[in-house]
Amino acid sequence: MSASSAFNEEKGGSSSVGEPEYGHDPASGGIFSSDYKRHDDLKEMLDSNKDSLKLEAMKRIVAMIARGKNASDLFPAVVKNVACKNIEVKKLVYVYLVRYAEEQQDLALLSISTFQRGLKDPNQLIRASALRVLSSIRVTIIVPIMMLAIKEAASDMSPYVRKTAAHAIPKLYSLDPEQKDQLIEVIEKLLADKTTLVAGSVVMAFEEVCPERIDLIHKNYRKLCNLLIDVEEWGQVVIINMLTRYARTQFLNPNMNDEEEEEKEKKAEAPMAKRKPYVMDPDHRLLLRNTKPLLQSRNAAVVMAVAQLYFHLAPKVEVGVIAKALVRLLRSHSEVQYVVLQNVATMSIKRRGMFEPYLKSFYIRSTDPTQIKVLKLEVLTNLANETNISTILREFQTYIKSMDKDFVAATIQAIGRCATNIGEVRDTCLNGLVQLLSNRDELVVAESVVVIKKLLQMQPEKHSDIIKHMAKLTDNIQVPMARASILWLIGEYCEHVPKIAPDVLRKMAKSFTNEEDIVKLQIINLAAKLYLTNSKQTKLLTQYVLNLAKYDQNYDIRDRARFIRQLIVPTEKSGALSKYAKKLFLALKPAPVLESPFKDRDHFQLGSLSHLLNAKAGGYQELPDWPEAAPDPSVRNVEVKDSVRAVGTVTCRDRESEQSSEEEERKHQRKSDQQKSDSESESDEESDSESSQSESDDSDSEADVKKKKKDPVCNNRKHKCIDSCFNSLVLCLQNISPCSALKSYELLHRIRGEGLSVEYCFSRQPFSPDGNMVAVQMQFTNNATSEAKNLHMEDVKLQSGMRVKEFPEIELLPAGETATAVMGIDFCDSTQAANFQLCTHTRKFFVSIQPPVGELMRPVFLTENEFKKEQGELISVTCRPPTPFLSDSRFNSIRFILFCIAQNLPCGSDKECRFAGRTVTSGSLVLATVATKEGGAAQLTVNCEKMVIGTMLVKDVLLALTQ
Amino acid sequence: MLMFPSDSLITSFVYSMSALPPFKPVTSYWFRLSQNGQNELLCFPSPASPPPAAMIHSLFLINASGDIFLEKHWKSVVSRSVCDYFFEAQERASEPENVPPVIPTPHHYLISVLRHRIYFVAVIQSEVPPLFVIEFLHRVVDTFQDYFGVCTEAAIKDNVVVVYELLEEMLDNGFPLATESNILKELIKPPTILRTMVNTITGSTNVGEQLPTGQLSVVPWRRTGVKYTNNEAYFDVVEEIDAIIDKSGSTITAEIQGVIDACVKLTGMPDLTLSFMNPRLLDDVSFHPCVRFKRWEAERILSFIPPDGNFRLLSYHVSSQNLVAIPVYVKHNITFREGSSQGRFDLTLGPKQTMGKAVEAVLVSSQLPRGVLNANLNASQGTYTFDPVTKMLTWDVGKINPQKLPSLKGSMNLQAGASKPDENPTINIQLKIQQMAISGLKVNRLDMYGEKYKPFKGIKYMTKAGKFQVRT
């Protein structure tokens, strides 16, 4: 392959002499000589007019970039090709440009105009990629251009371009933070977008630019919840994380009553002012319900996001559902396991019961990497309680025999923690650990000593034999930490081992100079304590040790010796403190609490980088505390009447047919929720049902209509007024037949035509000679004083693929007379113009016919079911009619354009008009739906296989409406 | 008179100079010697810099020998010297898989995954869910595998341009853009020998000119206009048994994890439904996004418009209430005697609950204690190898014949004078059983709607050992 050859050349270039010069490594060639020649061949290839050479050159350049080699000196040669026709060359040029534009700002500006042109391209992919590259060029001077481009793209027809606009927002923000206010406006606009494609990206932009503007979310909250399941997986993660924070600011703590009770029990305080029983906000419930299915996602990040949402937001009893999904993730790659286990460790401290049924899933296999083993151990320790401790300890016993010594050490620590937490097994654990003291591996012994020391502190009086046993170990054990621990133990409990202690000090005094620093400090401690309790035997020894310490190299040890000597050895100078020396040294010390390192980590949002590192990472957004009183929930109500809403192109997994059932199910669930919470008052229920209504208003229109049908009583009033408005529209639609109003266009004005004027219209009849052609009816009028002869057409200039069937020649057109002729044009389903010359016997006129997009279709008949089925499979384009209320005349213009393409189809609902047609050339289906809603808001949806046709059709309708 | 003790002044000055630590040029704080020997300026972000706006800043690919063989930046270039922190962590870790997936450095965070002996190291500058990055990196590897067949250093280097184009499409400004394989394949066609030849001759390109239909459609995972002459849909039900068996042969923990992998080559927009005889077996499931969740909740039926080609339809976990059938048993006797430099090794395998199916492709491996120098064993069937460096014993058994049970017997030589090792080796077992799903899961039927033709349908069952360990 070409790329590989480039690689080899690059590598070999420096070593072999006879190699051609291209792609030379700067570090290896001659110092200056090759420098100016470097890449000459690549430049040549880029300047050639053969695409294949350019492509080859670009591939080699990209290969250089990939390896981190500097290719910046090629910038002028590369940037010239930014307008190259070959799309692959173009793409690679983009890659290059984005990489080096920052370094070569002036030259990069040369390319900007190309992108600006690209932003206007009819192909949405080109528009989008132009915006992508333009916004990726980090050149401050083009900030205004970027701003303009983003604003324009944010209202583009294509959701893909709008998505790209959302991506561009953080790029611009990082380039120039002063644009923040303007960018927030764009974000606000895009947040209102109802397509799933845009939702994830705009929330990402929101998080990057203005995470503090939580007020922007209110109106979009319910929509985001409802769209969530159909958003692409990466967007889901971002949205869920943002909504977690949002919910923390807007709803009440679902567990507040439980926690209060706990507090009361602890403090036994006088009953506080009784708070009203907790009722969950229906929006809070909506979030929990809509995220739950995502626990089944194949994407671990999504599962984790939902899990943390439930952990932070759900009532205690419901959090349990996440355990199963998290345990499932433990089957995944080890990196995923690592992150999940960290989070499980934190969760298992606060909600131990949740993971107890899955205890065995955390058992350790010898093939696990050490870091996974240690984390699993942590979880097992957290899960240990009176009932399962015996099984867990049995597991631990096998772990101690593992070959992985780091893991064994961690196991010993874990045993220690189990022993401190669960009183019943303390002795068992201690005995087990003492047995480990005779282990062959020194690390194991040392770790055991450290843990035993901590355990003994809890009840030393019972265990003097263990202390004796450990005193013996000082002869063998070399690990400093363990030696220090033993010495501390003997010193602390010297009363329990009065005979051995002085002997240990004797041995230690002998080896003092060879000990590690921490051991030396403990020897001094031991000496001091013995001096205080048993000065007769140890006075001289202590003096000796203190003298040795006085001349130690470590100033810490010298200091300690000086300090202790002053305290314990009574002299005339010694102050009042020495009286209390015994109290100072032999005070009762509280036993250490063995805590999990994951304790209290949940003040970081789970699943976040900060939680994993247990340190605040840059850009981390604190998870706010629950508010004391819930902020006004009505901010999330969406005012339907005032705003005209675009139609969602939202149906994805669960189509319309399922939506009504979903709606019902939701209601059902709501009911059962209500039954569950007995405490809910009457008024609450009412508000609940009200908000459920507004919530469903937000969902798709079809569902809306169906729902309305189901319970006509409650909506009766609204229904009536909509009906009347709609009926009038339907009436005026029926009155006008499609053929009655054909619009004529001028082909040749009589002044330019020297008396001859020609008009044409699209007759909307099949063109009999060729079914793929659009029939164009022409009307010739001779306004001149003389007759015109031999009217015919010549020199037809067409875009590729288009064809024309000429009209028969009109031999004579007397003055003042009118004649008609029909010609056929195959426009190839595009709105490209057909150019030709219209000739008379004396003159030639250049004319062109350009069809409005509506004329490229002819009607077809579909049943309602067929229509729905097709609609689901086609790309849809939607439009937002600019006026909230459709006047009859406005509706007429829509009707005109739609009727020209298609026919009105029967429809089950009287709130919808449906039109269907097929394009003339390729026969692809075009569907249009006009639906009205309460308040007179209308929405137009066009479904079409060909995006361009759909967009243009919608554009035409919009144009008609604004005129 | 001026009595200036000039001599003493100078000496004291010299003295104070020598007391100072050796002078270091200030530049040494600003430059850092990077792995490849280039001095590169470290960037210190100015305190008032705007919050960095990118999830994934850069990506470095590092091979087993520690060479950075590919780098890609989605924002400003991050010097590759940042990888030195990774190399440090790598040195500290005893095993390659023990490198922590998340490494904090002064200005960045490194999140890495290890696949096919290549580290994929992503550079992050601010808070981002770590799983988000890890999952994405794995998706990148899956995509490479999908495109090039294998994901090795050589394959990536050979296709460096395609790799770059892919990475460009998959992330925009550090945020995932298109990760669905069907969409990517429309944007960038996978390299095949035929296409490479055709491209060289005709000069056509590998890059799609139109927006992939999936991007905007309601089924983003499927491309439109798919055509096949033979319409076929194959489903593989593969189950893995994870188990820990203790010394005495009793099961400590055992669970079954399964997946249904599909290979669907159907024309048009087929709508498939797959139903099971015993869907209650499935305890916990995760779906490909194409599966309609509501339908599953209500009817326990998998209803979906499939992606084109290979994909994982479903992964599931069989509820732990069901008893797990353990297909093999192991009789073992591995002992070391105190004071002797010999140890006994005795292992016999036999079929247990296999429902009459043959147990095939059995492979036994065990990490023997460090003190073991050599092993003289005799295998009744298959071959065994012992690696004296890693102390790994592997025994390729093959098929288990119930009439003549395979065994591996003999002695181990220990280091002379060394004490008896107190660790017990664990035995890992791999095996395969064809035509059976050990949980008993059965597909009832597969129906297709929405298209007229009759597809060819096939279902295959298989059981494998996952993490199957026997403690001794």
Side-chain angles (χ1 to χ4, degrees):
Chain A
M1 266 204 75
S2 54
S4 76
S5 67
F7 247 98
N8 298 336
E9 278 159 23
E10 291 295 324
K11 261 191 184 158
S14 52
S15 53
S16 49
V17 185
E19 287 269 327
E21 278 279 288
Y22 36 72
H24 226 275
D25 193 330
S28 56
I31 304 168
F32 296 113
S33 56
S34 72
D35 218 37
Y36 67 94
K37 266 190 189 167
R38 202 153 59 97
H39 305 323
D40 267 3
D41 60 315
L42 285 175
K43 281 179 194 157
E44 245 168 61
M45 286 163 85
L46 287 169
D47 287 342
S48 81
N49 42 17
K50 270 194 191 160
D51 278 355
S52 57
L53 279 178
K54 286 182 180 175
L55 185 61
E56 181 60 28
M58 280 318 296
K59 280 184 172 170
R60 272 163 47 187
I61 293 169
V62 167
M64 281 166 68
I65 296 174
R67 273 172 309 133
K69 293 275 178 287
N70 188 4
S72 59
D73 55 338
L74 285 163
F75 200 93
V78 173
V79 87
K80 267 186 278 184
N81 289 303
V82 74
C84 178
K85 284 277 177 297
N86 183 312
I87 194 141
E88 193 168 11
V89 174
K90 202 162 163 173
K91 268 201 164 172
L92 296 178
V93 172
Y94 286 179
V95 169
Y96 181 91
L97 205 59
V98 171
R99 170 70 178 75
Y100 285 113
E102 212 171 359
E103 296 171 20
Q104 313 243 353
Q105 306 221 347
D106 293 342
L107 283 170
L109 292 179
L110 297 176
S111 62
I112 302 298
S113 62
T114 316
F115 299 125
Q116 282 179 302
R117 228 175 300 134
L119 290 170
K120 302 260 185 303
D121 200 280
N123 183 339
Q124 52 180 338
L125 184 62
I126 293 179
R127 284 204 303 278
S129 65
L131 180 62
R132 245 183 95 181
V133 182
L134 182 70
S135 55
S136 300
I137 296 176
R138 292 169 293 276
V139 178
T140 338
I141 216 164
I142 64 162
V143 163
I145 299 176
M146 275 165 75
M147 193 69 227
L148 209 67
I150 290 175
K151 276 185 177 166
E152 234 164 69
S155 40
D156 198 283
M157 276 299 164
S158 153
Y160 185 69
V161 178
R162 296 205 295 275
K163 184 188 174 78
T164 316
H167 277 265
I169 291 170
K171 297 186 209 169
L172 178 55
Y173 179 60
S174 68
L175 193 62
D176 182 7
E178 282 173 17
Q179 304 292 324
K180 186 170 175 176
D181 292 337
Q182 288 197 58
L183 287 174
I184 291 178
E185 277 171 34
V186 183
I187 289 174
E188 193 171 2
K189 182 173 181 185
L190 285 172
L191 274 173
D193 204 299
K194 298 233 167 177
T195 48
T196 50
L197 203 58
V198 183
S201 305
V202 68
V203 171
M204 189 267 301
F206 170 84
E207 290 281 80
E208 297 279 3
V209 178
C210 52
E212 72 283 352
R213 287 291 304 274
I214 210 94
D215 56 299
L216 295 181
I217 303 299
H218 292 320
K219 291 269 179 247
N220 302 298
Y221 172 82
R222 288 176 194 154
K223 181 195 71 192
L224 283 173
C225 287
N226 286 323
L227 289 187
L228 195 57
I229 189 144
D230 292 327
V231 176
E232 38 87 39
E233 32 196 6
W234 310 108
Q236 283 172 345
V237 178
V238 180
I239 295 178
I240 293 172
N241 278 323
M242 187 274 290
L243 288 179
T244 310
R245 253 183 29 246
Y246 178 86
R248 270 296 188 102
T249 61
Q250 300 298 321
F251 306 129
L252 291 176
N253 185 355
N255 300 318
M256 66 185 172
N257 289 341
D258 308 345
E259 274 160 30
E260 239 165 55
E261 271 163 38
E262 275 168 32
E263 265 173 43
K264 266 183 215 161
E265 275 168 29
K266 273 182 205 160
K267 293 178 188 168
E269 269 178 50
M272 298 194 302
K274 202 169 182 328
R275 289 174 80 160
K276 61 175 183 191
Y278 171 75
V279 181
M280 187 182 273
D281 189 308
D283 286 330
H284 191 171
R285 173 56 59 204
L286 174 76
L287 177 61
L288 292 176
R289 194 171 51 234
N290 283 8
T291 46
K292 196 174 168 188
L294 295 178
L295 283 174
Q296 251 70 47
S297 171
R298 63 170 170 172
N299 186 321
V302 176
V303 177
M304 190 67 231
V306 178
Q308 65 84 23
L309 181 132
Y310 261 75
F311 182 79
H312 289 300
L313 298 181
K316 253 183 194 169
V317 281
E318 290 172 45
V319 181
V321 294
I322 63 174
K324 199 188 268 181
L326 286 176
V327 169
R328 184 184 70 230
L329 294 187
L330 294 181
R331 283 271 303 168
S332 189
H333 301 284
S334 89
E335 296 89 4
V336 176
Q337 282 183 47
Y338 177 81
V339 179
V340 172
L341 281 169
Q342 296 248 2
N343 287 292
V344 170
T346 307
M347 291 187 198
S348 59
I349 291 176
K350 213 170 177 192
R351 307 224 194 285
R352 183 202 286 162
M354 195 162 97
F355 291 100
E356 260 175 58
Y358 305 98
L359 185 73
K360 288 187 172 175
S361 306
F362 299 102
Y363 280 6
I364 292 152
R365 292 158 205 280
S366 58
T367 41
D368 288 332
T370 310
Q371 48 185 355
I372 300 291
K373 285 180 185 162
V374 172
L375 283 170
K376 279 188 175 175
L377 206 56
E378 178 65 40
V379 176
L380 285 175
T381 316
N382 289 341
L383 293 182
N385 60 17
E386 283 81 358
T387 49
N388 60 21
I389 183 69
S390 56
T391 10
I392 290 183
L393 281 182
R394 211 171 319 131
E395 267 299 296
F396 283 180
Q397 257 172 349
T398 46
Y399 299 164
I400 282 170
K401 290 178 191 154
S402 162
M403 293 174 212
D404 185 343
K405 292 305 166 205
D406 292 333
F407 169 53
V408 174
T411 309
I412 294 169
Q413 292 274 4
I415 293 174
R417 263 180 52 204
C418 288
T420 46
N421 296 340
I422 301 160
E424 288 100 79
V425 292
R426 196 168 294 152
D427 289 343
T428 332
C429 290
L430 205 51
N431 287 336
L433 289 173
V434 170
Q435 277 172 23
L436 282 181
L437 291 178
S438 49
N439 194 293
R440 259 183 226 95
D441 193 289
E442 200 183 11
L443 274 170
V444 175
V445 179
E447 200 67 40
S448 314
V449 168
V450 175
V451 174
I452 289 173
K453 178 206 130 192
K454 289 178 181 164
L455 287 181
L456 283 184
Q457 260 183 284
M458 293 180 175
Q459 30 188 195
E461 55 292 334
K462 283 198 217 156
H463 300 294
S464 56
D465 51 329
I466 296 180
I467 299 174
K468 273 179 209 158
H469 181 87
M470 289 175 78
K472 280 181 208 152
L473 284 173
T474 47
D475 295 341
N476 305 319
I477 200 160
Q478 292 304 323
V479 179
M481 189 61 210
R483 285 176 83 85
S485 294
I486 296 173
L487 292 175
W488 185 89
L489 263 181
I490 294 172
E492 191 67 24
Y493 306 114
C494 49
E495 286 108 338
H496 302 295
V497 284
K499 284 189 183 149
I500 295 176
D503 201 44
V504 172
L505 181 63
R506 182 184 59 80
K507 280 185 187 161
M508 286 299 135
K510 250 163 99 180
S511 62
F512 185 86
T513 45
N514 302 323
E515 296 290 351
E516 286 282 326
D517 289 345
I518 48 166
V519 185
K520 282 177 180 170
L521 288 174
Q522 288 308 327
I523 295 174
I524 300 172
N525 269 348
L526 173 65
K529 284 171 184 167
L530 285 178
Y531 184 91
L532 291 171
T533 52
N534 184 4
S535 61
K536 207 172 81 189
Q537 272 187 304
T538 56
K539 192 174 176 183
L540 287 171
L541 268 174
T542 308
Q543 298 265 355
Y544 176 67
V545 168
L546 288 176
N547 281 336
L548 283 178
K550 192 177 172 184
Y551 298 104
D552 200 272
Q553 281 188 323
N554 187 312
Y555 58 78
D556 210 9
I557 294 170
R558 294 197 301 269
D559 273 1
R560 181 73 63 90
R562 203 174 303 138
F563 158 73
I564 285 186
R565 189 192 295 272
Q566 287 300 315
L567 261 178
I568 58 169
V569 185
T571 57
E572 326 68 87
K573 274 189 282 177
S574 64
L577 263 183
S578 56
K579 276 185 244 165
Y580 304 104
K582 203 163 181 175
K583 271 191 183 163
L584 282 173
F585 281 102
L586 293 170
L588 212 60
K589 293 167 186 80
V593 187
L594 296 181
E595 264 184 352
S596 163
F598 288 89
K599 195 166 183 279
D600 288 334
R601 265 215 209 169
D602 60 332
H603 66 270
F604 287 115
Q605 186 168 3
L606 283 164
S608 66
L609 184 62
S610 305
H611 169 266
L612 188 87
L613 300 169
N614 200 16
K616 210 170 146 183
Y620 172 73
Q621 297 285 325
E622 290 279 356
L623 195 62
D625 278 332
W626 294 101
E628 282 292 308
D632 180 17
S634 66
V635 288
R636 283 181 294 278
N637 291 347
V638 182
E639 295 291 324
V640 190
K641 283 185 184 164
D642 297 355
S643 60
V644 179
R645 290 176 289 127
V647 194
T649 56
V650 221
T651 50
C652 172
R653 244 189 276 184
D654 303 297
R655 294 269 175 73
E656 299 101 300
S657 56
E658 287 163 40
Q659 260 170 353
S660 58
S661 67
E662 187 189 349
E663 197 74 21
E664 266 181 329
E665 189 181 82
R666 204 186 276 173
K667 264 196 248 161
H668 185 74
Q669 245 173 358
R670 193 178 296 276
K671 239 176 233 165
S672 60
D673 285 344
Q674 283 172 353
Q675 279 158 1
K676 264 185 228 159
S677 54
D678 305 353
S679 54
E680 249 175 322
S681 65
E682 197 65 31
S683 67
D684 280 319
E685 256 172 65
E686 234 177 74
S687 71
D688 199 330
S689 63
E690 243 176 57
S691 64
S692 93
Q693 204 177 303
S694 59
E695 179 189 309
S696 59
D697 282 348
D698 221 32
S699 66
D700 269 15
S701 60
E702 281 92 346
D704 226 353
V705 171
K706 276 180 191 161
K707 195 189 163 229
K708 294 264 162 53
K709 274 190 175 167
K710 268 170 213 152
D711 43 12
V713 188
C714 79
N715 289 308
N716 213 357
R717 201 155 38 89
K718 271 189 201 164
H719 210 147
K720 262 185 193 162
C721 78
I722 301 161
D723 267 357
S724 62
C725 141
F726 204 86
N727 282 343
S728 67
L729 291 179
V730 173
L731 269 178
C732 73
L733 284 173
Q734 282 160 352
N735 287 341
I736 305 162
S737 75
C739 293
S740 66
L742 292 177
K743 192 173 173 184
S744 11
Y745 306 84
E746 187 167 79
L747 189 64
L748 187 64
H749 193 264
R750 69 184 155 87
I751 297 177
R752 214 187 113 218
E754 292 168 2
L756 179 70
S757 75
V758 186
E759 285 189 328
Y760 67 94
C761 65
F762 298 90
S763 62
R764 296 180 186 169
Q765 309 289 338
F767 187 66
S768 46
D770 189 331
N772 284 346
M773 287 190 178
V774 177
V776 184
Q777 190 178 330
M778 302 217 239
Q779 188 168 31
F780 301 85
T781 314
N782 192 350
N783 302 317
T785 46
S786 60
E787 60 194 12
K789 282 181 197 163
N790 298 344
L791 286 169
H792 66 281
M793 52 194 284
E794 256 179 24
D795 196 14
V796 184
K797 281 194 191 128
L798 298 170
Q799 300 290 324
S800 65
M802 282 165 63
R803 291 171 303 128
V804 156
K805 174 89 177 121
E806 298 173 10
F807 60 88
E809 186 175 312
I810 299 172
E811 287 181 355
L812 184 74
L813 187 62
E817 289 288 294
T818 302
T820 52
V822 178
M823 67 184 286
I825 306 177
D826 178 0
F827 285 105
C828 275
D829 291 352
S830 76
T831 50
Q832 305 270 24
N835 302 309
F836 56 91
Q837 288 181 13
L838 193 65
C839 309
T840 65
H841 62 296
T842 52
R843 291 292 311 262
K844 290 178 178 179
F845 308 105
F846 288 92
V847 291
S848 76
I849 296 181
Q850 189 167 18
V853 66
E855 305 293 352
L856 296 173
M857 293 153 218
R858 59 178 60 124
V860 287
F861 183 82
L862 295 176
T863 64
E864 187 172 3
N865 285 342
E866 283 171 335
F867 188 91
K868 280 198 167 167
K869 189 173 148 274
E870 295 288 351
Q871 198 176 25
E873 283 166 16
L874 293 172
I875 303 163
S876 74
V877 186
T878 57
C879 100
R880 316 144 197 226
T883 43
F885 203 87
L886 276 176
S887 66
D888 286 2
S889 65
R890 286 236 159 86
F891 208 88
N892 271 343
S893 16
I894 298 189
R895 173 206 46 77
F896 176 74
I897 292 167
L898 291 178
F899 265 150
C900 68
I901 64 155
Q903 71 189 84
N904 196 2
L905 296 173
C907 173
S909 157
D910 55 353
K911 286 187 189 51
E912 275 185 17
C913 296
R914 297 195 171 127
F915 307 93
R918 279 189 190 281
T919 58
V920 174
T921 308
S922 63
S924 44
L925 207 56
V926 183
L927 307 175
T929 319
V930 185
T932 35
K933 302 204 168 172
E934 66 263 58
Q939 45 192 28
L940 169 74
T941 313
V942 173
N943 298 65
C944 182
E945 215 170 279
K946 297 192 172 176
M947 200 63 209
V948 185
I949 294 206
T951 344
M952 288 198 296
L953 195 60
V954 168
K955 234 182 226 168
D956 272 12
V957 173
L958 267 182
L959 198 69
L961 283 175
T962 45
Q963 271 163 6
Chain B
M1 275 295 287
L2 265 170
M3 294 289 285
F4 214 80
S6 54
D7 275 0
S8 65
L9 194 78
I10 288 164
T11 40
S12 72
F13 176 68
V14 170
Y15 174 75
S16 64
M17 276 291 283
S18 62
L20 283 173
F23 177 73
K24 270 189 197 166
V26 181
T27 46
S28 67
Y29 294 107
W30 290 87
F31 286 90
R32 187 187 164 83
L33 197 67
S34 76
Q35 194 72 9
N36 48 10
Q38 289 172 304
N39 274 322
E40 278 164 292
L41 188 63
L42 277 185
C43 300
F44 290 90
S46 61
S49 65
M55 292 210 151
I56 297 170
H57 234 264
S58 305
L59 176 70
F60 294 97
L61 267 56
I62 300 173
N63 64 13
S65 50
D67 297 324
I68 303 169
F69 67 93
L70 188 124
E71 63 180 71
K72 166 95 184 117
H73 307 275
W74 283 274
K75 297 278 292 175
S76 306
V77 178
V78 176
S79 155
R80 55 164 67 189
S81 64
V82 76
C83 290
D84 292 357
Y85 293 102
F86 179 81
F87 295 127
E88 274 170 32
Q90 200 183 6
E91 261 168 49
R92 249 177 281 133
S94 48
E95 304 277 324
E97 61 263 31
N98 268 334
V99 178
V102 182
I103 302 167
T105 76
H107 304 296
H108 300 95
Y109 304 95
L110 305 178
I111 298 186
S112 61
V113 303
L114 173 64
R115 290 270 299 266
H116 310 285
R117 295 161 48 90
I118 300 172
Y119 288 101
F120 293 75
V121 184
V123 182
I124 311 296
Q125 218 168 38
S126 59
E127 172 64 49
V128 58
L131 266 187
F132 188 97
V133 181
I134 289 170
E135 184 77 29
F136 176 79
L137 291 176
H138 281 301
R139 207 61 74 79
V140 169
V141 182
D142 293 342
T143 309
F144 287 173
Q145 229 169 346
D146 195 23
Y147 264 75
F148 314 129
V150 285
C151 180
T152 58
E153 185 182 348
I156 292 173
K157 279 185 171 173
D158 283 350
N159 298 297
V160 69
V161 176
V162 180
V163 165
Y164 237 65
E165 285 170 344
L166 278 174
L167 291 174
E168 189 73 26
E169 288 302 332
M170 291 181 84
L171 272 188
D172 180 18
N173 194 36
F175 190 79
L177 190 64
T179 50
E180 202 63 56
S181 137
N182 265 285
I183 290 182
L184 284 172
K185 284 195 175 154
E186 272 184 79
L187 282 169
I188 302 149
K189 309 228 167 46
T192 59
I193 295 170
L194 184 70
R195 181 162 304 120
T196 318
M197 276 167 53
V198 171
N199 286 355
T200 1
I201 296 162
T202 62
S204 60
T205 67
N206 268 337
V207 178
E209 301 194 17
Q210 282 295 329
L211 186 71
T213 45
Q215 274 285 23
L216 290 170
S217 86
V218 288
V219 278
W221 52 85
R222 189 175 177 88
R223 41 193 193 100
T224 47
V226 186
K227 281 208 175 71
Y228 289 102
T229 40
N230 296 325
N231 288 296
E232 29 189 35
Y234 297 104
F235 293 87
D236 290 358
V237 180
V238 183
E239 294 195 336
E240 292 193 357
I241 311 167
D242 287 356
I244 302 178
I245 312 287
D246 82 352
K247 224 180 202 160
S248 57
S250 57
T251 311
I252 292 181
T253 158
E255 45 189 22
I256 300 171
Q257 315 275 351
V259 293
I260 300 184
D261 284 333
C263 174
V264 176
K265 294 182 172 170
L266 296 176
T267 308
M269 271 285 172
D271 197 332
L272 303 180
T273 51
L274 185 98
S275 62
F276 298 101
M277 305 271 262
N278 38 8
R280 301 274 153 220
L281 275 178
L282 308 183
D283 177 39
D284 182 37
V285 280
S286 77
F287 301 117
H288 189 275
C290 69
V291 177
R292 297 183 180 103
F293 184 70
K294 284 267 155 23
R295 192 87 190 272
W296 170 258
E297 285 282 273
E299 305 170 57
R300 299 272 144 180
I301 283 176
L302 293 175
S303 157
F304 55 97
I305 296 173
D308 185 42
N310 293 312
F311 66 102
R312 174 155 295 175
L313 178 64
L314 171 80
S315 15
Y316 61 88
H317 177 263
V318 175
S319 69
S320 36
Q321 277 83 41
N322 295 49
L323 274 182
V324 177
I326 303 293
V328 289
Y329 70 87
V330 181
K331 266 200 276 182
H332 53 83
N333 183 12
I334 303 171
T335 48
F336 304 97
R337 250 169 301 144
E338 195 70 62
S340 135
S341 60
Q342 289 273 314
R344 267 175 60 81
F345 189 98
D346 189 339
L347 200 72
T348 309
L349 288 175
K352 211 171 168 185
Q353 295 152 294
T354 62
M355 294 156 205
K357 298 278 195 302
V359 183
E360 296 167 353
V362 180
L363 186 78
V364 176
S365 60
S366 177
Q367 173 87 47
L368 296 183
R370 241 163 279 155
V372 176
L373 278 185
N374 216 337
N376 298 313
L377 304 173
N378 192 9
S380 74
Q381 140 180 16
T383 52
Y384 84 93
T385 51
F386 177 71
D387 184 340
V389 182
T390 59
K391 314 291 181 200
M392 183 60 86
L393 175 77
T394 42
W395 175 28
D396 189 352
V397 184
K399 195 169 165 177
I400 295 183
N401 179 1
Q403 270 72 50
K404 194 170 157 287
L405 296 179
S407 65
L408 184 65
K409 287 177 187 167
S411 64
M412 295 173 288
N413 295 327
L414 296 173
Q415 234 157 355
S419 52
K420 164 183 170 258
D422 43 15
E423 315 102 338
N424 296 36
T426 42
I427 299 162
N428 297 302
I429 297 177
Q430 291 167 39
L431 55 86
K432 256 184 210 170
I433 305 171
Q434 302 280 5
Q435 296 158 15
M436 180 187 74
I438 196 103
S439 69
L441 187 76
K442 273 243 150 53
V443 171
N444 185 19
R445 52 182 299 141
L446 176 73
D447 298 304
M448 186 183 75
Y449 304 96
E451 294 289 336
K452 302 246 155 35
Y453 55 84
K454 254 196 131 46
F456 183 81
K457 302 176 270 193
I459 297 216
K460 208 167 76 183
Y461 297 93
M462 193 178 5
T463 299
K464 287 199 241 177
K467 295 173 185 163
F468 195 101
Q469 294 200 336
V470 182
R471 292 177 178 163
T472 63

